[in-house]
Amino acid sequence: MSTELTGAEITVRCLQKEGVDHIFGYPGGAVLFIYDELFKQDKVKHVLVRHEQAAVHAADGYARSSNKIGVALVTSGPGVTNAVTGIATAYMDSIPLVIISGQVPTHAIGLDAFQEVDTVGITRPCVKHNFLVKDINELATTIKKAFFIASTGRPGPVLVDIPKDVSQQKAVFVYPESVAMRSYNPVTRGHAGQIRKAVQLILEAKRPMIYAGGGIILSDAAAQLTELVRMLGFPCTNTLMGLGGFPATDRQCVGMLGMHGTYEANMAMQHCDVLVAIGARFDDRVIGNPKHFFNEDRKIIHIDIDPSSISKRVKVDVPIVGSVSDVLVELIKMLKVRKEKPDQTALDAWWTQIDLWRARDCLKYDRSSSIIKPQLVIEKLYDVTKGDAFVTSDVGQHQMWAAQFYKFDLPRRWINSGGLGTMGFGLPAAMGVQFANPGNMVACVTGEASIQMCIQELSTCKQYNLPLKVINLNNRYMGMVRQWQEFFHGNRYAESYMDALPDFVKLAESYGHVGMKIEQPGDVESALTEAFKLKNRLVFMDFITDQTENVFPMVPGGKGLSEMILV
Amino acid sequence: MRHIISLLMENEAGALSRVAGLFSSRGYNIESLTVAATEDSTLSRMTLVTAGSDDVIEQITKQLNKLIDVVKVVDLSEGDHIERELMLIKVRALGKDREEIKRLADIFRGRIIDVTDKSYTIELTGTGSKLDAFLDTIERSAILETVRTGASGIGRGERILKV
């Protein structure tokens, strides 16, 4: 007879079996037995955050930057409700996470017990799947399923809710090697006939465009994408989620597209005759008004692992359901076999047109300004880190400038909340990135509004000696809100100012970090250089930037891609 | 257009709420929904009646398939199928009306399953429109109570939805 383990022991053993090295969490009544077991071992290192939202964001940053599954552990009730923002953030960007939450004992469920919420109900719309484990004998299999579901198909967060009594009861521990679920069999390989049709369309293209999204990053297909783009000589644009999927410094990269995409990317997107969409979902911030998008005639090939992403916002001609990396391998193979090339004369003419659009220099800004321009800070950040840093961001103008001006040549280097747009994401995500990539440079580009949504994590950073570099673009406004108010609300800046700001230098110092305040454009580069020399310290850099700077180009909401507001 | 969608799902706590939640969160409409365990007690069979454009219905079936607990989905309206709904209706039956209501129930192949000196309770199955037609034949004020199950559907002939 095998020895029996408690539910808490089983939970921790499962994490060990899954090779989890870090979990991010915060203890509380319902998870005390699990914490007790974590205490007794040292394989799974627990990172104590200061708020559950940060636990999930950190696990998320860990997952995005490493292609491993991020794990968070929170208690019942407020532990879970605090975690919801983090879970929804991961869900919108399809990030593989396993969240373990404590629940009140099974006999108390439904009785409005202390720290009870309907966790499965509250999280249901923002998880890929969730479980309430009522039977100790199903605990190990359920956790195995959670890891399986989170990381396969279109990835996403999976939550396992464990009542306190289940974590205390005993059962024989058997961790299944694999799980088969009759209701869940995600497709990986694309349909060969469909790929053949795609090849045909690609070869017939006169004005082709490759539009690659977060799916490239999630399925580790950057190498295949790069091979395809170079082999065809086509222009390639990356979405906000796909930055780094194709090297930004490559001539064939026309930059990011969408609401704040480059002029050349949006124009090429609008005027192409064959569009190859890969791991992207034609989001409203990407193609603007779908009706306007269809003013131009084009054929669309759409490769995505999630059938429900295909023909959701736009009708496509050649849908290919499958893992982006597998499909690209097949596509490249078939193109090589065909040995044909698309019409080179037409392609040259197309590039001439694109270069004309590019010459518009849509990202230009006043480089001689006597006030610090936020774009300058990002450019200098790029120079000082030689493009080799992991960059997380919060949400708003600074996020867009980081996306526009930091040239990401590698995948998993750009970490931001694209779908949900969660302010407060940047700092805790950067912690997760640093845990997954010790020794690498990690910068968090933020603003004075966003940073205050999870600033308590400076304490976590101190505890674990995380040498992050916080780049605070401080314009004393919720900049993106202010920009919309300037453009669309008659310059009435309703509640978008930031008053009574803390002295960020002193704040950083009070947490035991280094603080810097930079007010002159001439000091930007030297300050950044100095900060990155402090390899073992977190440096909080408060850049006092131009209050009125706006993000350009801009496709106003409801407008078409070619209806950009330009500088 | 009206569609009748059948699905098999794991018979687990919360599975129904995943389907209902999907419809409300994505703004799809549900005309009716019936669910019960099948002969295999680990599976539930659900019949959903919804309406929408072809694009919306395509999204609905894709989103349903995406739910982890859903094993199979079929749009019954894509082919020949049979659908039935059960209605229980309590009507006032007094004096000469008693005979008339009994006759109407017979015409619609309904069965009277409960009788008092003032009322009949009639059981009627058929398509939704047949049940509507029956209701239309009875004077509004005589209807004391109705309860309908919503449609259940099954494919005709060899069309089978099974794991």
Side-chain angles (χ1 to χ4, degrees), chain A residues 91 120 124 128-130 149 154 181-184 306-312 315, chain B residues 10 17-18 21 26 40 42-43 55 58-59 62-63 66-71 163:
Chain A
Y91 180 68
V120 165
R124 196 190 56 229
K128 183 171 174 188
H129 198 58
N130 56 19
I149 293 169
R154 179 177 180 172
M181 296 174 69
R182 61 181 171 186
S183 63
Y184 177 69
D306 178 2
S308 73
S309 277
I310 293 176
S311 292
K312 182 172 69 176
K315 275 271 169 216
Chain B
E10 298 290 352
S17 69
R18 290 182 206 279
R26 294 202 178 258
D40 171 355
T42 65
L43 283 173
D55 292 352
E58 184 184 330
Q59 268 298 310
K62 283 174 171 177
Q63 294 290 350
K66 211 165 121 177
L67 293 175
I68 306 292
D69 283 337
V70 170
V71 184
V163 175

Side-chain angles (χ1 to χ4, degrees), chain A residues 108-123:
Chain A
I109 290 178
L111 301 179
D112 302 321
F114 176 66
Q115 293 196 327
E116 178 185 3
V117 291
D118 173 10
T119 299
V120 165
I122 284 181
T123 58

Side-chain angles (χ1 to χ4, degrees), chain B residues 5 49 92-93 107 126 129 157:
Chain B
I5 293 168
V49 179
R92 187 181 296 112
I107 291 169
S129 57

Side-chain angles (χ1 to χ4, degrees), chain A residues 357-373:
Chain A
W357 287 326
R358 196 178 251 167
R360 182 74 178 67
D361 193 13
C362 67
L363 297 179
K364 63 175 175 273
Y365 66 93
D366 180 7
R367 285 166 198 277
S368 58
S369 167
S370 58
I371 313 167
I372 297 178
K373 290 287 183 181

Side-chain angles (χ1 to χ4, degrees), chain A residues 158-213:
Chain A
V158 178
L159 179 139
V160 182
D161 201 25
I162 305 176
K164 188 167 186 180
D165 54 336
V166 173
S167 70
Q168 204 179 2
Q169 289 157 9
K170 287 190 164 186
V172 175
F173 175 61
V174 184
Y175 199 61
E177 287 290 309
S178 62
V179 280
M181 296 174 69
R182 61 181 171 186
S183 63
Y184 177 69
N185 298 292
V187 179
T188 53
R189 300 195 51 160
H191 189 280
Q194 291 296 93
I195 300 177
R196 207 165 298 127
K197 278 190 210 164
V199 166
Q200 190 58 36
L201 268 184
I202 287 171
L203 292 175
E204 287 166 7
K206 305 248 186 265
R207 299 186 310 280
M209 177 74 167
I210 293 177
Y211 148 54

Side-chain angles (χ1 to χ4, degrees), chain A residues 1-14 16-17 37 136-137 139-140 165-175:
Chain A
M1 161 118 189
S2 346
T3 47
E4 294 193 323
L5 304 182
T6 66
E9 286 176 283
I10 289 174
T11 304
V12 174
R13 290 281 290 274
C14 289
Q16 293 172 346
K17 289 267 187 190
E37 290 308 321
I136 175 74
N137 295 305
L139 181 59
D165 54 336
V166 173
S167 70
Q168 204 179 2
Q169 289 157 9
K170 287 190 164 186
V172 175
F173 175 61
V174 184
Y175 199 61

Side-chain angles (χ1 to χ4, degrees), chain A residues 42-149:
Chain A
D42 57 5
K43 279 189 186 157
V44 181
K45 290 184 186 61
H46 181 273
V47 177
L48 176 68
V49 295
R50 300 298 182 265
H51 185 288
E52 287 88 350
Q53 178 186 348
V56 184
H57 287 331
D60 184 325
Y62 178 93
R64 290 184 203 233
S65 63
S66 68
N67 194 24
K68 289 193 266 185
I69 301 173
V71 184
L73 171 60
V74 299
T75 194
S76 66
V80 165
T81 53
N82 279 347
V84 166
T85 300
I87 298 172
T89 303
Y91 180 68
M92 287 293 273
D93 291 343
S94 307
I95 307 304
L97 298 185
V98 170
I99 299 103
I100 293 173
S101 58
Q103 182 54 280
V104 301
T106 47
H107 58 81
I109 290 178
L111 301 179
D112 302 321
F114 176 66
Q115 293 196 327
E116 178 185 3
V117 291
D118 173 10
T119 299
V120 165
I122 284 181
T123 58
R124 196 190 56 229
C126 60
V127 291
K128 183 171 174 188
H129 198 58
N130 56 19
F131 297 95
L132 169 61
V133 184
K134 283 184 164 170
D135 179 354
I136 175 74
N137 295 305
E138 288 178 6
L139 181 59
T141 312
T142 304
I143 294 177
K144 180 76 201 179
K145 280 184 185 171
F147 277 89
F148 173 61
I149 293 169

